[in-house]
Amino acid sequence: LLDSLSIDIEQIRDPRIFTSSVFEVSSWNLQRGAESTVRTRIARQGDNWDFETPIRARADTPSVNTLLNRILSLNTSAIATNDADDLSAYGLQNPELRIAIETEQSREVLEIGAIVPTQNGDAATRRYAKREDRPTIFEIEIEFQELLANAQTKLRDRHIFGIETKAATSIAIAEVDEEPLTLQRLENGDWEILLRDPERGIVTVPGDTPAVQELLV
């Protein structure tokens, strides 16, 4: 009984920082420095993610889901202090990075500050951090802070077309002042070219299916 009453607080402390799961998150944003006016905001659009700021653009949904899962899986390594009089000593007066996770029911904000000094030098992956709504300062291991800081470029969908090109059923390629070249896919997956003949109207000729498939990749 005495042993159970003398249990170490670290044994019963929940190390999780966020309580939300990936499928619950409706939007999240990143801000570098509390005084920065540039924020990266990503919002869910159905099964996909879109950037709302700093520019409106499609996001790479698989990459966003992977990074968001890494954020939500962050745990506290150790408690630094429960009541800090000077947040600047931990780099949290003006946090280097703020991560806000929003769901339909809640908003959770993590503030990340200075590097935690170590005996063997500074380990850039170990940082002081705190929840915006709580005074406790803790340490976290975060190996992807550079990715977070450059999320607006690293997570952008670089595809020009918003549709799944591999599922295309027709293609029109046109030059200025020229008749368009039109291709259509047959039920068996082959492609054919539609040509306009002055006498016979629209006629078809077989297309180079492997070349068209390479074009759509």
Side-chain angles (χ1 to χ4, degrees):
L1 177 60
L2 181 60
D3 289 341
S4 65
L5 292 176
S6 304
I7 191 169
D8 188 345
I9 190 67
E10 288 295 326
Q11 295 180 260
I12 59 174
R13 182 175 61 83
D14 187 349
R16 294 179 302 171
I17 297 173
F18 295 102
T19 60
S20 305
S21 56
V22 172
F23 73 89
E24 294 177 313
V25 179
S26 56
S27 64
W28 54 290
N29 64 74
L30 307 168
Q31 181 181 1
R32 296 186 65 179
E35 298 178 357
S36 174
T37 58
V38 178
R39 299 187 183 188
T40 300
R41 179 178 176 82
I42 307 173
R44 189 187 297 275
Q45 302 294 334
D47 294 330
N48 299 315
W49 292 96
D50 286 345
F51 282 99
E52 292 189 344
T53 59
I55 59 172
R56 297 192 67 87
R58 294 192 309 273
D60 184 340
T61 294
S63 297
V64 171
N65 285 331
T66 299
L67 178 57
L68 182 57
N69 186 66
R70 295 180 74 182
I71 293 171
L72 297 178
S73 299
L74 285 172
N75 288 329
T76 59
S77 300
I79 300 297
T81 178
N82 287 311
D83 186 18
D85 294 328
D86 184 11
L87 292 178
S88 61
Y90 302 91
L92 291 167
Q93 186 68 38
N94 181 18
E96 291 188 18
L97 186 67
R98 298 177 78 253
I99 306 172
I101 305 294
E102 299 172 346
T103 70
E104 295 296 331
Q105 292 79 30
S106 64
R107 184 174 188 270
E108 301 178 282
V109 181
L110 174 66
E111 300 175 337
I112 300 176
I115 297 172
V116 178
T118 63
Q119 293 181 350
N120 298 324
D122 291 342
T125 59
R126 196 172 185 86
R127 299 272 179 160
Y128 290 116
K130 67 181 291 291
R131 284 276 301 254
E132 183 184 51
D133 57 343
R134 300 173 187 171
T136 302
I137 297 176
F138 45 81
E139 298 175 12
I140 62 170
E141 286 284 349
I142 181 167
E143 301 175 349
F144 50 93
Q145 185 154 327
E146 183 180 354
L147 177 57
L148 291 171
N150 297 282
Q152 71 273 19
T153 55
K154 298 290 187 181
L155 299 181
R156 184 165 55 84
D157 185 351
R158 301 185 183 278
H159 291 91
I160 298 173
F161 295 104
I163 63 173
E164 179 55 62
T165 55
K166 292 182 180 180
T169 56
S170 66
I171 306 171
I173 304 173
E175 295 185 25
V176 178
D177 300 327
E178 296 288 341
E179 285 290 327
L181 172 65
T182 303
L183 303 97
Q184 67 178 13
R185 188 173 64 180
L186 304 176
E187 291 184 359
N188 64 0
D190 291 338
W191 287 84
E192 64 180 12
I193 303 173
L194 304 182
L195 299 174
R196 187 181 300 277
D197 186 276
E199 297 180 357
R200 295 180 295 168
I202 301 297
V203 297
T204 62
V205 297
D208 186 339
T209 297
V212 176
Q213 292 173 339
E214 183 178 354
L215 173 67
L216 293 174
V217 172

CSV table of all heavy atoms in Angstrom, one decimal, residues 19-41:
chain,number,residue,atom,x,y,z
A,19,THR,N,-5.3,15.7,-28.1
A,19,THR,CA,-6.3,14.7,-27.9
A,19,THR,C,-7.1,14.3,-29.2
A,19,THR,O,-7.9,13.4,-29.2
A,19,THR,CB,-7.3,15.1,-26.8
A,19,THR,OG1,-8.0,16.3,-27.3
A,19,THR,CG2,-6.6,15.4,-25.5
A,20,SER,N,-7.0,15.1,-30.2
A,20,SER,CA,-7.7,14.9,-31.5
A,20,SER,C,-7.0,13.8,-32.3
A,20,SER,O,-5.8,13.6,-32.2
A,20,SER,CB,-7.8,16.2,-32.3
A,20,SER,OG,-8.3,17.3,-31.5
A,21,SER,N,-7.8,13.2,-33.2
A,21,SER,CA,-7.3,12.2,-34.1
A,21,SER,C,-7.4,12.8,-35.5
A,21,SER,O,-8.1,13.8,-35.7
A,21,SER,CB,-8.1,10.9,-34.1
A,21,SER,OG,-9.5,11.2,-34.3
A,22,VAL,N,-6.7,12.2,-36.5
A,22,VAL,CA,-6.6,12.8,-37.8
A,22,VAL,C,-7.9,13.0,-38.4
A,22,VAL,O,-8.2,14.1,-39.0
A,22,VAL,CB,-5.7,11.9,-38.7
A,22,VAL,CG1,-5.7,12.4,-40.1
A,22,VAL,CG2,-4.2,11.9,-38.2
A,23,PHE,N,-8.8,12.0,-38.3
A,23,PHE,CA,-10.1,12.1,-39.0
A,23,PHE,C,-11.0,13.1,-38.4
A,23,PHE,O,-12.0,13.6,-39.0
A,23,PHE,CB,-10.8,10.7,-39.0
A,23,PHE,CG,-11.3,10.3,-37.7
A,23,PHE,CD1,-12.6,10.6,-37.3
A,23,PHE,CD2,-10.6,9.5,-36.8
A,23,PHE,CE1,-13.1,10.2,-36.1
A,23,PHE,CE2,-11.1,9.1,-35.6
A,23,PHE,CZ,-12.4,9.5,-35.2
A,24,GLU,N,-10.7,13.6,-37.2
A,24,GLU,CA,-11.5,14.6,-36.5
A,24,GLU,C,-11.1,16.0,-36.9
A,24,GLU,O,-11.9,17.0,-36.8
A,24,GLU,CB,-11.4,14.5,-35.0
A,24,GLU,CG,-12.0,13.2,-34.4
A,24,GLU,CD,-11.8,13.2,-32.9
A,24,GLU,OE1,-10.7,13.4,-32.5
A,24,GLU,OE2,-12.8,12.8,-32.2
A,25,VAL,N,-9.9,16.2,-37.4
A,25,VAL,CA,-9.4,17.6,-37.7
A,25,VAL,C,-10.1,18.1,-38.9
A,25,VAL,O,-10.1,17.5,-40.0
A,25,VAL,CB,-7.9,17.5,-37.9
A,25,VAL,CG1,-7.3,18.9,-38.2
A,25,VAL,CG2,-7.2,17.0,-36.6
A,26,SER,N,-10.6,19.4,-38.8
A,26,SER,CA,-11.2,20.0,-39.9
A,26,SER,C,-10.3,21.1,-40.5
A,26,SER,O,-10.4,21.3,-41.7
A,26,SER,CB,-12.5,20.7,-39.5
A,26,SER,OG,-12.2,21.7,-38.4
A,27,SER,N,-9.3,21.6,-39.7
A,27,SER,CA,-8.4,22.5,-40.3
A,27,SER,C,-7.2,22.7,-39.3
A,27,SER,O,-7.4,22.3,-38.1
A,27,SER,CB,-9.0,23.9,-40.5
A,27,SER,OG,-9.4,24.5,-39.3
A,28,TRP,N,-6.1,23.1,-39.7
A,28,TRP,CA,-4.9,23.4,-38.8
A,28,TRP,C,-4.1,24.4,-39.5
A,28,TRP,O,-4.1,24.6,-40.7
A,28,TRP,CB,-4.2,22.1,-38.5
A,28,TRP,CG,-3.7,21.3,-39.7
A,28,TRP,CD1,-4.4,20.6,-40.5
A,28,TRP,CD2,-2.3,21.1,-40.0
A,28,TRP,NE1,-3.6,19.9,-41.5
A,28,TRP,CE2,-2.3,20.2,-41.2
A,28,TRP,CE3,-1.1,21.5,-39.5
A,28,TRP,CZ2,-1.1,19.8,-41.8
A,28,TRP,CZ3,0.1,21.1,-40.2
A,28,TRP,CH2,0.0,20.3,-41.3
A,29,ASN,N,-3.4,25.2,-38.6
A,29,ASN,CA,-2.5,26.2,-39.1
A,29,ASN,C,-1.2,26.3,-38.4
A,29,ASN,O,-1.1,25.9,-37.2
A,29,ASN,CB,-3.3,27.6,-39.1
A,29,ASN,CG,-3.6,28.1,-37.8
A,29,ASN,OD1,-2.8,28.5,-37.0
A,29,ASN,ND2,-4.9,28.0,-37.4
A,30,LEU,N,-0.2,26.9,-39.1
A,30,LEU,CA,1.1,27.0,-38.5
A,30,LEU,C,1.5,28.5,-38.6
A,30,LEU,O,1.2,29.2,-39.6
A,30,LEU,CB,2.1,26.2,-39.3
A,30,LEU,CG,1.8,24.7,-39.6
A,30,LEU,CD1,2.7,24.2,-40.6
A,30,LEU,CD2,2.0,24.0,-38.3
A,31,GLN,N,2.2,29.0,-37.5
A,31,GLN,CA,2.6,30.4,-37.5
A,31,GLN,C,4.0,30.4,-37.0
A,31,GLN,O,4.3,29.8,-35.9
A,31,GLN,CB,1.7,31.2,-36.6
A,31,GLN,CG,2.2,32.7,-36.6
A,31,GLN,CD,1.3,33.5,-35.7
A,31,GLN,OE1,0.3,33.0,-35.1
A,31,GLN,NE2,1.6,34.8,-35.6
A,32,ARG,N,4.9,31.0,-37.7
A,32,ARG,CA,6.3,31.1,-37.3
A,32,ARG,C,6.5,32.4,-36.6
A,32,ARG,O,6.5,33.5,-37.2
A,32,ARG,CB,7.3,31.1,-38.5
A,32,ARG,CG,7.2,29.8,-39.3
A,32,ARG,CD,8.3,29.7,-40.4
A,32,ARG,NE,9.6,29.8,-39.9
A,32,ARG,CZ,10.7,29.7,-40.6
A,32,ARG,NH1,10.6,29.7,-42.0
A,32,ARG,NH2,11.9,29.8,-40.1
A,33,GLY,N,6.7,32.3,-35.3
A,33,GLY,CA,6.9,33.5,-34.4
A,33,GLY,C,5.5,34.1,-34.1
A,33,GLY,O,4.7,34.3,-35.0
A,34,ALA,N,5.3,34.5,-32.9
A,34,ALA,CA,4.0,35.0,-32.5
A,34,ALA,C,3.6,36.3,-33.2
A,34,ALA,O,2.5,36.7,-33.3
A,34,ALA,CB,3.9,35.2,-31.0
A,35,GLU,N,4.7,37.1,-33.6
A,35,GLU,CA,4.4,38.4,-34.2
A,35,GLU,C,4.4,38.3,-35.7
A,35,GLU,O,4.2,39.3,-36.4
A,35,GLU,CB,5.5,39.4,-33.7
A,35,GLU,CG,5.6,39.6,-32.2
A,35,GLU,CD,6.7,40.6,-31.8
A,35,GLU,OE1,7.4,41.0,-32.7
A,35,GLU,OE2,6.8,40.9,-30.6
A,36,SER,N,4.6,37.1,-36.3
A,36,SER,CA,4.6,37.0,-37.7
A,36,SER,C,3.1,37.1,-38.2
A,36,SER,O,2.2,36.6,-37.6
A,36,SER,CB,5.1,35.6,-38.1
A,36,SER,OG,5.0,35.4,-39.5
A,37,THR,N,3.0,37.8,-39.4
A,37,THR,CA,1.6,37.9,-40.0
A,37,THR,C,1.4,36.8,-41.0
A,37,THR,O,0.3,36.7,-41.5
A,37,THR,CB,1.5,39.3,-40.6
A,37,THR,OG1,2.5,39.4,-41.6
A,37,THR,CG2,1.6,40.4,-39.6
A,38,VAL,N,2.4,36.0,-41.3
A,38,VAL,CA,2.3,35.0,-42.3
A,38,VAL,C,1.9,33.7,-41.6
A,38,VAL,O,2.7,33.2,-40.8
A,38,VAL,CB,3.6,34.8,-43.1
A,38,VAL,CG1,3.4,33.7,-44.1
A,38,VAL,CG2,4.0,36.1,-43.8
A,39,ARG,N,0.8,33.2,-42.0
A,39,ARG,CA,0.3,31.9,-41.4
A,39,ARG,C,0.0,30.9,-42.5
A,39,ARG,O,-0.4,31.3,-43.6
A,39,ARG,CB,-0.9,32.1,-40.6
A,39,ARG,CG,-0.7,33.0,-39.4
A,39,ARG,CD,-2.0,33.0,-38.5
A,39,ARG,NE,-1.8,34.0,-37.4
A,39,ARG,CZ,-2.7,34.1,-36.4
A,39,ARG,NH1,-3.7,33.3,-36.4
A,39,ARG,NH2,-2.5,35.0,-35.4
A,40,THR,N,0.3,29.7,-42.3
A,40,THR,CA,-0.1,28.6,-43.2
A,40,THR,C,-1.3,27.9,-42.6
A,40,THR,O,-1.3,27.3,-41.6
A,40,THR,CB,1.0,27.6,-43.4
A,40,THR,OG1,2.2,28.3,-43.9
A,40,THR,CG2,0.7,26.5,-44.4
A,41,ARG,N,-2.4,28.0,-43.4
A,41,ARG,CA,-3.7,27.4,-42.9
A,41,ARG,C,-4.1,26.3,-43.9
A,41,ARG,O,-4.2,26.6,-45.1
A,41,ARG,CB,-4.8,28.4,-42.7
A,41,ARG,CG,-6.1,27.8,-42.2
A,41,ARG,CD,-7.2,28.9,-42.0
A,41,ARG,NE,-8.4,28.3,-41.7
A,41,ARG,CZ,-8.8,27.9,-40.5
A,41,ARG,NH1,-7.9,28.0,-39.5
A,41,ARG,NH2,-10.0,27.4,-40.2
